[in-house]
Amino acid sequence: METIVQIAQLLLALSILVGIHEAGHMLAARFFGMKVEKFFIGFPPKIFSFKKGDTEYGLGAIPLGGFVKISGMIDESMDKEQMKQEPQPWEFRSKPAWQRLIVMLGGIIVNVIAGIIAFVILTYNQGEAYIPAKLSKEYGVVAGEIAQEVGFQTGDKVIKVNGADYDRFGDITSGETLLTTDGYWTVQRNGQQLDIPIPKGFLNNLSDEEFHDKFLEPRQLSMVGGFQKGFDIPLKEGDKILKANGVEVQYYDQLRSEMENYAGQNVAFLINRNGQEMTVDIDVNEDKQIGIALPSPLEVNEYTLAEAIPRGTSKAFGAVILNAKAMGKMFKFNGEMSARNMSGPIGIVNMFPKTWDWNAFWGITGFISMVLAFMNLLPIPALDGGHVMFLLFEMVSGKAPSDQFLENAQKVGMAILLLLMVFVFGNDILKLFGI
């Protein structure tokens, strides 16, 4: 059922984004007097369609994209018969290059606008929840398996990221941090300061779904923030646990580790309550728990609408910049970042939560909208960016590429996209089997 919910969210997101993308092309084309023959969400085979005016609107069975058929345009339809006819005033090819350029950019522009709106609204409605850097600076970090392999130790205090101060715990593993060339973390360990370099190929760990569990957690004090159901213990919210049977457990990772030794036993805990130290006896259950919950480490920044507009816009474009940097590292082929990190529809499904959450849905949809805009702008024939590239050449040189050249370029572009689709689907399938 959870997978069905995730798939439903992806299909809805793609339908919305494809619909507005193709609408961007269609509206720009109509504005300049071009005839739009077809507007489809999804690829053939056709499920249903209807005609209104000169345009056939329809839904395809393969929900991985969509298309608009504009008269007189060499596109994936490869309508050679129409191109053999004399150009008509309402056709794409009859219009000035600058108008055709705007039409080709229409879908990208709409996706960018949609992504920005989503980020702005979510920033305004929700604010930004984050873990403050003071935890990792003052108390240190809990080093997981991957972090230990890199060189971290539990208790290390991360004081700088890539040589600079930082405000949020998430900055330690942010895309901006990890995609920096020759990046490193500066930690304080046992009173000494040392740099831990981000190793070559480290970014490939990001494809591991359990990456964050295996890397770093902020270290937290053993403080009572609440209680789990089914436990009746002599503690109060705000109590700090100092020792368990004489063993120091000031931090929660220490407490968790020490409880491994006391399943089903009664333990004497030294606590600090309102500045006073006292000893209380607590039963540890068979699952090695005493029933406390830690205070939430999250803080929230709230924004007015005037503040949310630049902040949301910055976050939207930040997503595009990070994806561009990641793609650049993939195509260096130096092992710094593997193309195995690329995901197709199966991988994208896992981005969505397993229960329906509208805030999460719109956040992910906004992110995908920005990524789609970037991907469509790539100068690959058959993508909008390929058409833009040829139109810019025409505008600069004053000479348009021949129809034959454009037809051949379209075929090459479609072959590239097909190979890319096979590759990302293969990646997704291999990851499903843990390969």
Side-chain angles (χ1 to χ4, degrees):
M1 186 63 184
E2 292 176 342
T3 301
I4 294 175
V5 171
Q6 289 178 300
I7 292 173
Q9 290 178 88
L10 174 62
L11 293 179
L12 178 59
L14 286 180
S15 297
I16 293 170
L17 296 178
V18 169
I20 63 175
H21 178 92
E22 301 304 337
H25 290 308
M26 181 177 69
L27 293 174
R30 285 183 171 171
F31 181 81
F32 292 119
M34 301 176 197
K35 181 180 177 181
V36 179
E37 299 177 12
K38 293 183 179 182
F39 177 96
F40 269 71
I41 296 176
F43 295 124
K46 177 172 65 177
I47 296 177
F48 76 89
S49 69
F50 64 93
K51 194 161 185 177
K52 184 176 181 181
D54 294 328
T55 307
E56 179 187 5
Y57 298 88
L59 182 67
I62 303 176
L64 299 178
F67 64 93
V68 165
K69 176 72 174 69
I70 302 173
S71 295
M73 177 181 170
I74 297 174
D75 56 15
E76 59 270 17
S77 68
M78 300 302 289
D79 190 351
K80 295 181 181 180
E81 292 303 316
Q82 185 184 65
M83 302 307 293
K84 291 178 182 178
Q85 307 298 321
E86 285 295 318
Q88 300 298 318
W90 60 79
E91 290 186 337
F92 180 84
R93 55 180 168 166
S94 300
K95 302 298 181 179
W98 67 270
Q99 292 185 6
R100 286 178 277 140
L101 178 64
I102 292 174
V103 170
M104 295 318 304
L105 289 173
I108 294 172
I109 292 171
V110 170
N111 275 138
V112 170
I113 292 172
I116 291 174
I117 290 174
F119 277 102
V120 168
I121 292 176
L122 288 173
T123 301
Y124 174 69
N125 285 339
Q126 291 184 289
E128 289 179 340
Y130 65 96
I131 298 174
K134 65 183 181 184
L135 290 181
S136 46
K137 290 179 179 178
E138 296 177 13
Y139 305 144
V141 294
V142 179
E145 178 184 330
I146 295 176
Q148 291 175 34
E149 292 174 359
V150 169
F152 279 99
Q153 294 181 12
T154 294
D156 284 350
K157 297 178 180 179
V158 183
I159 55 178
K160 291 184 180 180
V161 174
N162 288 334
D165 193 18
Y166 67 106
D167 299 319
R168 304 181 179 194
F169 179 78
D171 293 337
I172 296 174
T173 54
S174 70
E176 184 176 351
T177 296
L178 300 182
L179 289 168
T180 300
T181 302
D182 299 323
Y184 62 98
W185 300 280
T186 302
V187 305
Q188 191 175 71
R189 179 185 299 166
N190 300 324
Q192 294 185 329
Q193 188 171 302
L194 65 150
D195 293 336
I196 299 176
I198 300 175
K200 183 179 179 180
F202 179 75
L203 286 167
N204 295 322
N205 289 307
L206 298 180
S207 61
D208 188 338
E209 290 184 7
E210 299 176 344
F211 168 74
H212 290 286
D213 294 333
K214 296 179 181 179
F215 196 54
L216 298 176
E217 296 176 27
R219 208 173 197 194
Q220 291 184 257
L221 295 174
S222 297
M223 180 181 290
V224 180
F227 302 94
Q228 299 175 24
K229 290 182 178 180
F231 289 86
D232 183 17
I233 55 178
L235 293 176
K236 296 181 179 180
E237 288 189 21
D239 286 351
K240 297 176 183 178
I241 301 176
L242 306 178
K243 293 182 180 180
N245 279 354
V247 178
E248 185 174 320
V249 289
Q250 178 184 4
Y251 297 106
Y252 183 67
D253 60 284
Q254 295 174 326
L255 175 64
R256 189 170 53 194
S257 176
E258 188 63 20
M259 290 304 96
E260 294 288 326
N261 303 317
Y262 297 114
Q265 299 182 39
N266 184 269
V267 176
F269 288 89
L270 177 66
I271 67 170
N272 182 307
R273 178 179 294 168
N274 300 323
Q276 299 293 319
E277 291 188 0
M278 62 181 70
T279 300
V280 295
D281 293 329
I282 302 175
D283 291 326
V284 181
N285 70 11
E286 294 298 331
D287 293 325
K288 305 163 188 176
Q289 297 178 343
I290 60 173
I292 67 169
L294 298 181
S296 172
L298 293 176
E299 292 185 5
V300 179
N301 280 347
E302 296 185 350
Y303 298 91
T304 64
L305 182 59
E307 294 169 332
I309 290 172
R311 180 59 182 163
T313 301
S314 175
K315 289 163 66 177
F317 280 104
V320 174
I321 292 170
L322 288 177
N323 273 273
K325 285 183 178 180
M327 185 167 289
K329 288 187 178 291
M330 285 182 193
F331 286 102
K332 284 184 177 180
F333 300 108
N334 60 1
E336 193 171 4
M337 188 170 186
S338 171
R340 285 294 307 276
N341 287 291
M342 295 179 67
S343 293
I346 299 175
I348 297 173
V349 163
N350 291 322
M351 293 173 61
F352 289 93
K354 295 180 179 180
T355 57
W356 201 286
D357 181 329
W358 281 111
N359 286 324
F361 171 82
W362 288 116
I364 296 168
T365 301
F367 170 76
I368 295 174
S369 188
M370 296 300 295
V371 173
L372 283 177
F374 167 69
M375 295 298 293
N376 266 292
L377 196 55
L378 293 176
I380 300 174
L383 289 179
D384 295 343
H387 292 284
V388 168
M389 175 177 63
F390 294 134
L391 285 166
L392 290 175
F393 171 81
E394 179 183 345
M395 293 172 71
V396 172
S397 67
K399 184 178 180 180
S402 68
D403 288 349
Q404 184 62 45
F405 174 83
L406 292 176
E407 287 177 7
N408 291 332
Q410 190 76 12
K411 292 176 182 177
V412 171
M414 291 172 69
I416 292 172
L417 292 180
L418 180 61
L419 289 173
L420 183 61
M421 288 292 290
V422 171
F423 178 76
V424 296
F425 266 108
N427 263 354
D428 286 347
I429 293 169
L430 291 174
K431 289 175 186 175
L432 284 176
F433 290 96
I435 300 175

